[in-house]
Amino acid sequence: MSQEKNEYLKKTPYRIKRYYAYVLATIVALVVPFIRIDGNHIFLLSFDKKQLHLLGVAFDMQELYLMPFLLMLLFLGIFAATSIGGRAWCGWACPQTIFRVIYRDLIETKLLGLRRIKNKQKEPNWKKAENASKRLLAILIWSVLALVAAADFMWYFVPPEDFFAYLQNPMDHMFLIGFVLAIAAFLIYDVIFLKEDFCVYVCPYSRVQSVLYDNNTYQAIYSTNRGGNIYNDKNDKVIFKQKDLPDEKNECTTCEACVTVCPTHIDIRKGLQLECINCLECVDACTTVMGKLGKPSLVQWSSTNEIKHNKETKVVRKSTIMYTVALLVVVALLFIMGGKKEHMLLNINKTTELYKIKEDNEVANNFLFLFQNTDSKRHTYDLEVVGNDDIVIERFKPFSLAPNKLRKKVVVLSTKKRLVTDNSKDTPITITIRAFAKDDPKKISVIREAVFIYPRADKFK
């Protein structure tokens, strides 16, 4: 018995494993905004610069056709993870859960001794002066961390190098500072006062989880085969009941360690509940109690098939195959679309003057060209008319443009040849214009169409 007891108790608790996951997630969240490849960030959605940076490639706002693919990847990934591992995201990676663990388990419990790790149901007596002063200190500590978290969130929209530069002139960037303070204030209210009610009542994820679960989904699940079904009588007394399971074979000790340790205040023995975030605290609690008796935990990280039907859990099944195929398709489309990035953007618009007839019946059209260098290097741009030798570029000189800069140029196209003899109306002629970087014409080349208006014949002298 002692050997079995040691076997069950020597396993690393899920709570410790979650702490490792939280540390890793925190490091990633704080470090990613500072990583740059060729001057571009790993991920940045900058409204200031009107750019999306993805894996070191900068996309202009006109290239945000990638955003739907990123959103699909996000939601399909969460749905696939839920189908396989339940609300693993909630318990192991969600910022809300991480923040609550930092405040409740680290600050209030470990640093200040206000709570016990194994009892998350009991609130400290806040009327005691000592507890009240410790709570104030906990709020101050979390307020500092909330400001760091709020700043970190903003670094995915305002790059850190700009963020810290803006802080040096706070009066000129009050909107940014106000936004950071507003996020920090929400985090203070959320983590200290709203707590797990956010997961239960605010977050929509809990409402859709039951649709994504099946009998092969891994979750924190209580074995009714060993512990019996549970319900409460009129006096809120715990009652066990199950056919063919005599009381003497009921292994549950009714210690309620799995209940007191639950951060969302549920009784896992009552089956799947939308409040469960799969933090697996109940599994650790039951493992400790049952391990001392030389028995496996009644609450396990397993599936309905394995616990209740004695069937093997199938990770590869119809739903997971469908999610995998969908994710691969989205990732492939994302890479294909991302590979079509234009290193130069060009918009062509007509000016208010349709055309001008000069001496010798030369016809000129004025256009407004908007160039944008979306590459990471400076380039010199030039133009040419493609497939039409009758219309030439009368006014335009090659120019140099720095990375991520825009430049407007008035371009005049003209012709001295008689292109149309229609006396009834002006004639629009579609022409093709190629803009390219003289230093790298093969890589950076853009084709655009413009409409050259040719006047009716009776306007010529």
Side-chain angles (χ1 to χ4, degrees):
M1 178 70 73
S2 60
Q3 184 177 356
E4 293 180 354
K5 175 181 176 180
N6 292 333
E7 184 69 25
Y8 293 124
L9 293 177
K10 72 180 182 180
K11 295 180 179 179
T12 303
Y14 285 109
R15 177 172 58 84
I16 302 302
K17 295 177 181 178
R18 281 171 43 236
Y19 290 166
Y20 292 146
Y22 295 163
V23 170
L24 178 61
T26 301
I27 292 174
V28 170
L30 290 172
V31 170
V32 164
F34 293 90
I35 299 177
R36 303 176 72 175
I37 301 175
D38 293 333
N40 299 321
H41 293 265
I42 295 293
F43 179 83
L44 173 69
L45 183 58
S46 174
F47 296 103
D48 182 22
K49 297 181 179 179
K50 298 180 177 62
Q51 286 184 334
L52 167 67
H53 291 198
L54 186 62
L55 300 178
V57 180
F59 296 90
D60 189 78
M61 282 295 178
Q62 298 180 31
E63 301 174 287
L64 286 191
Y65 47 76
L66 294 177
M67 285 303 296
F69 296 102
L70 291 176
L71 293 175
M72 284 190 288
L73 193 63
L74 173 65
F75 284 104
L76 283 173
I78 291 178
F79 291 164
T82 304
S83 177
I84 297 173
R87 290 181 70 178
W89 161 261
C90 297
W92 292 71
C94 177
Q96 166 73 16
T97 304
I98 296 176
F99 294 157
R100 276 294 295 160
V101 168
I102 291 174
Y103 179 75
R104 182 193 60 232
D105 293 359
L106 178 60
I107 298 176
E108 286 193 334
T109 303
K110 290 294 184 181
L111 295 182
L112 303 178
L114 287 168
R115 299 177 184 271
R116 292 177 60 244
I117 287 290
K118 295 181 179 180
N119 192 343
K120 295 178 174 57
Q121 308 288 335
K122 186 178 180 180
E123 285 288 318
N125 182 5
W126 300 120
K127 293 182 180 180
K128 292 178 61 175
E130 181 183 1
N131 289 349
S133 60
K134 286 184 176 180
R135 190 187 195 194
L136 179 60
L137 179 58
I139 293 175
L140 291 175
I141 294 174
W142 174 246
S143 297
V144 174
L145 295 178
L147 283 171
V148 175
D152 182 47
F153 173 78
M154 288 303 300
W155 292 339
Y156 288 91
F157 302 92
V158 178
E161 60 271 18
D162 292 345
F163 182 88
F164 291 113
Y166 294 158
L167 290 184
Q168 296 176 10
N169 299 290
M171 298 306 297
D172 296 334
H173 303 92
M174 291 304 296
F175 179 79
L176 173 65
I177 294 175
F179 206 80
V180 172
L181 292 176
I183 295 173
F186 171 76
L187 291 178
I188 294 171
Y189 168 74
D190 173 37
V191 171
I192 297 176
F193 302 102
L194 190 58
K195 299 181 284 191
E196 279 74 21
D197 284 345
F198 180 91
C199 307
V200 177
Y201 300 109
V202 180
C203 181
Y205 186 34
S206 61
R207 269 67 185 173
V208 302
Q209 65 169 343
S210 58
V211 180
L212 303 173
Y213 278 28
D214 57 35
N215 287 341
N216 288 292
T217 299
Y218 278 95
Q219 57 186 294
I221 186 169
Y222 168 77
S223 175
T224 55
N225 293 339
R226 294 172 52 210
N229 293 318
I230 182 175
Y231 66 95
N232 292 3
D233 63 8
K234 294 181 180 179
N235 298 320
D236 201 33
K237 182 180 179 181
V238 173
I239 303 293
F240 289 93
K241 182 179 180 181
Q242 182 170 347
K243 294 180 181 180
D244 303 324
L245 186 63
D247 291 340
E248 61 270 17
K249 291 187 177 181
N250 189 326
E251 297 182 27
C252 183
T253 63
T254 65
C255 66
E256 297 197 347
C258 61
V259 178
T260 57
V261 79
C262 179
T264 56
H265 301 188
I266 66 171
D267 190 339
I268 193 63
R269 298 171 298 177
K270 295 181 180 180
L272 176 64
Q273 296 156 75
L274 62 85
E275 295 89 349
C276 179
I277 60 173
N278 267 343
C279 66
L280 307 185
E281 294 267 14
C282 54
V283 178
D284 289 339
C286 192
T287 298
T288 301
V289 174
M290 298 304 293
K292 293 177 181 179
L293 302 175
K295 298 179 180 180
S297 175
L298 290 170
V299 187
Q300 297 184 18
W301 172 246
S302 189
S303 67
T304 302
N305 270 344
E306 191 168 338
I307 296 298
K308 293 187 176 182
H309 306 305
N310 294 321
K311 296 180 180 179
E312 184 181 356
T313 303
K314 294 182 179 179
V315 176
V316 180
R317 53 190 188 273
K318 184 184 295 184
S319 60
T320 56
I321 292 174
M322 291 175 61
Y323 281 124
T324 302
V325 171
L327 284 170
L328 290 175
V329 170
V330 173
V331 170
L333 290 173
L334 185 62
F335 274 96
I336 291 173
M337 299 300 289
K340 294 182 178 179
K341 170 182 168 53
E342 293 183 332
H343 298 278
M344 166 187 155
L345 297 179
L346 176 64
N347 288 333
I348 302 177
N349 296 292
K350 285 282 293 181
T351 60
T352 54
E353 185 181 35
L354 285 180
Y355 52 79
K356 183 177 181 181
I357 303 176
K358 301 181 179 181
E359 295 180 0
D360 300 327
N361 289 331
E362 180 182 0
V363 177
N365 276 210
N366 295 344
F367 296 87
L368 185 63
F369 281 49
L370 177 61
F371 294 84
Q372 182 173 358
N373 183 359
T374 58
D375 199 17
S376 58
K377 302 177 182 178
R378 175 181 288 272
H379 293 289
T380 299
Y381 297 115
D382 200 354
L383 294 175
E384 66 177 1
V385 178
V386 180
N388 193 327
D389 296 332
D390 296 332
I391 298 176
V392 298
I393 300 174
E394 179 180 332
R395 176 184 168 186
F396 177 79
K397 292 183 178 180
F399 68 97
S400 179
L401 189 59
N404 302 319
K405 295 297 182 179
L406 297 92
R407 182 80 59 84
K408 291 182 179 180
K409 289 286 185 178
V410 175
V411 178
V412 179
L413 303 181
S414 66
T415 181
K416 294 182 178 181
K417 294 186 178 181
R418 197 67 175 265
L419 301 180
V420 181
T421 58
D422 191 338
N423 290 318
S424 61
K425 60 181 180 180
D426 298 334
T427 303
I429 300 173
T430 302
I431 58 175
T432 301
I433 296 176
R434 174 176 175 255
F436 57 94
K438 297 183 69 174
D439 49 302
D440 196 354
K442 292 184 178 180
K443 176 183 176 182
I444 303 176
S445 177
V446 174
I447 300 295
R448 293 289 185 268
E449 289 187 345
V451 177
F452 186 93
I453 305 298
Y454 196 85
R456 62 179 187 264
D458 61 356
K459 288 194 174 184
F460 291 96
K461 295 179 181 179

